[in-house]
């Protein structure tokens, strides 16, 4: 395989940015920099493209304080890297009283910080640039496939969502390392990335290398599948959004659908409609396809159990010819088993 030069990689990123409409001239880009190879590469490449796109480049770093001195050394490294290049940096840190129990907690802390940084920009054209690459995309796709995700999950990592952009999605980890080596850029290595008790690391270090023996271009193949699924789900999403507006009754504390309208919904769209509806209530990420299918089954049977508790105090209830969805923490006025919507 012919090794790409740093110039080739920068041009490849520039073309991807244009193709996916990730950046417009004059945008203010805040690069999320962990100190690892991917984010250091992203910041360096965007600095190279700064004049081409007339960009205002800043950076942010979040210290999760999960790895003791190693986490603090990451922060020091990022501070020095940005200072040497004249890049304004904002640093966030996990509060001492907050305990991170798992990867989801860490992600929520990090993205809450990113959102605050974004809101501080206070201008049109502000974006947060994340350094997910081609390998991350294939790893995420396989993780979600293994866990039984539906189309939303298998859409994997999108080039842009809200104010987040991912300019490196067509750049492989090998290309990133080659770029940094040629540019003489140091970077930090997270020791936890080697721990195979985490599913992502098991996929990265064991499963994908075996798959590459079968298909050396497996990352491109998987990313292509993920992008195709994302495009297909984009169409489904528009249909579901229109369906939601047409048949879902929206009250201040709950959503409801009449059984008559429900029965007219195409079976393919039913779980998607439920998922979309619950997202209007809370935006939950951990309602599974299996739970949604269970709700559909309860409705279709019209007998037996008529309610189902879900994560985050969300609840499904079917009665009096209507399907109700609500959050019990917002709707706790129950007297003798009769809830407020009766």
């Amino acid at each position: 395989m012919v090794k790409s030069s740093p110039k080739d990689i920068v041009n490849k990123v520039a073309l991807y940015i244009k193709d996916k409409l990730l950046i417009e001239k004059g945008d203010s880009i805040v690069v999320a920099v962990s100190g690892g190879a991917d984010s250091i590469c992203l910041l360096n490449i965007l600095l190279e493209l700064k004049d081409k796109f007339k960009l205002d480049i800043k950076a942010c770093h979040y210290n999760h304080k999960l790895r003791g001195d190693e986490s603090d050394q990451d922060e020091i490294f990022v501070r020095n890297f940005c200072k040497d290049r004249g890049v304004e940096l904002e640093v966030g840190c996990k509060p001492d009283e907050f305990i991170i129990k798992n990867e989801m907690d860490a992600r929520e802390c990090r993205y809450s910080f990113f959102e605050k940084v974004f809101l501080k920009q206070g201008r049109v054209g502000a974006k947060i640039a994340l350094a997910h690459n081609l390998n991350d995309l294939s790893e995420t796709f396989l993780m979600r496939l293994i866990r039984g995700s539906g189309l939303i999950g298998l859409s994997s990592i999108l080039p842009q969502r809200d104010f987040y952009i991912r300019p490196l999605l067509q750049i492989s980890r090998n290309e990133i390392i080659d770029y940094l080596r040629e540019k003489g850029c140091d970077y930090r290595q997270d020791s936890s990335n080697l721990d195979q008790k985490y599913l992502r690391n098991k996929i990265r270090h064991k499963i994908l290398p075996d798959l590459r023996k079968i298909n050396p271009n497996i990352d491109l193949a998987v990313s292509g599948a993920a992008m195709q699924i994302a495009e297909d789900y984009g169409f489904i999403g528009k249909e579901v959004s229109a369906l939601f507006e047409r048949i879902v009754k929206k009250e201040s504390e709950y959503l409801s659908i009449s059984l008559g309208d429900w029965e007219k919904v195409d079976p393919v769209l039913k779980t998607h409609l439920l998922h979309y509806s619950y997202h209007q209530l809370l935006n939950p990420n951990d309602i599974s396809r299996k739970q949604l299918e269970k709700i559909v089954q309860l409705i279709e049977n019209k007998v037996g159990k008529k309610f189902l508790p879900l994560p985050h105090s969300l609840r499904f209830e079917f009665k009096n010819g209507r399907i109700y969805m609500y959050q019990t923490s917002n709707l706790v006025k129950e007297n003798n088993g009769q809830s407020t919507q009766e």
Side-chain angles (χ1 to χ4, degrees), residues 24-35:
E24 295 180 15
K25 286 189 176 181
D27 279 353
S28 176
I29 309 297
V30 182
V31 185
V33 183
S34 67

Side-chain angles (χ1 to χ4, degrees), residues 5 42 46 65 118 205 245 306 317 327:
S5 70
L42 176 59
L46 289 180
K65 292 198 169 289
F118 167 76
H205 299 296
E245 293 300 325
K306 294 294 192 302
E317 194 165 351
Q327 190 176 12

Side-chain angles (χ1 to χ4, degrees), residues 96-159:
D96 291 335
E97 65 273 13
F98 186 81
I99 299 174
I100 294 178
K101 299 174 185 176
N102 50 47
E103 290 179 85
M104 184 58 71
D105 286 348
R107 186 183 187 281
E108 287 181 3
C109 286
R110 185 168 64 252
Y111 276 78
S112 175
F113 168 66
F114 291 160
E115 185 171 348
K116 289 175 184 175
V117 171
F118 167 76
L119 293 173
K120 269 188 176 181
Q121 306 312 303
R123 54 162 288 184
V124 175
K127 290 161 185 169
I128 304 288
L130 306 177
H132 297 100
N133 61 49
L134 182 65
N135 299 75
D136 291 319
L137 200 159
S138 55
E139 291 162 8
T140 301
F141 182 91
L142 291 174
M143 279 177 61
R144 294 177 180 177
L145 183 65
I146 289 167
R147 289 171 172 167
S149 292
L151 288 181
I152 296 176
L154 294 181
S155 297
S156 201
I157 304 172
L158 299 175

